[in-house]
Amino acid sequence: MLAGSVGAESVTVGTGAVLRGLDKVSGKTTDIELANGTTTEYGRLVISLGECRYPEGNASGDAYAFLTVRDKGATENAFSGWMVASAPSLNALDHSRYDVWVTRCKTK
């Protein structure tokens, strides 16, 4: 819908994303770096990054990444979709122990 609208912003695909994870039990935060198309583990979570996109010239505040997050003990995904760095609560992971959000795209 918006792709054809007048004044649509040009986007750039980053090489990956920097996520931040919060363990709600310990209160510890961890930065997680992922390249596009890769998967990593954070606690009991398995996090896969499809790709990270950002408006030209702004790889941090307006970055958005396609993530799939699964708890190791579950058969269904805890989250699958786009997360937006500037509005993490817009489309957030709903997990009892962990929070994960996008902070920025990687450009190199």
Side-chain angles (χ1 to χ4, degrees):
M1 287 185 262
L2 295 176
S5 65
V6 176
E9 212 168 1
S10 296
V11 297
T12 302
V13 176
T15 59
V18 178
L19 313 175
R20 182 152 299 142
L22 168 66
D23 182 327
K24 297 176 191 178
V25 174
S26 69
K28 181 180 177 190
T29 59
T30 303
D31 284 349
I32 305 160
E33 292 193 23
L34 278 170
N36 290 342
T38 63
T39 299
T40 192
E41 293 183 6
Y42 171 66
R44 293 188 43 84
L45 300 180
V46 178
I47 304 168
S48 299
L49 171 65
E51 70 179 22
C52 192
R53 300 177 186 173
Y54 60 94
E56 281 186 30
N58 187 1
S60 56
D62 290 331
Y64 52 103
F66 189 85
L67 298 174
T68 303
V69 182
R70 183 179 54 80
D71 189 297
K72 290 180 187 177
T75 55
E76 294 188 22
N77 292 334
F79 178 88
S80 184
W82 291 95
M83 271 191 196
V84 182
S86 62
S89 63
L90 183 65
N91 199 10
L93 168 69
D94 182 22
H95 192 273
S96 59
R97 178 162 182 173
Y98 301 103
D99 277 339
V100 174
W101 63 94
V102 178
T103 60
R104 64 181 174 86
C105 287
K106 292 172 52 176
T107 57
K108 293 181 185 183

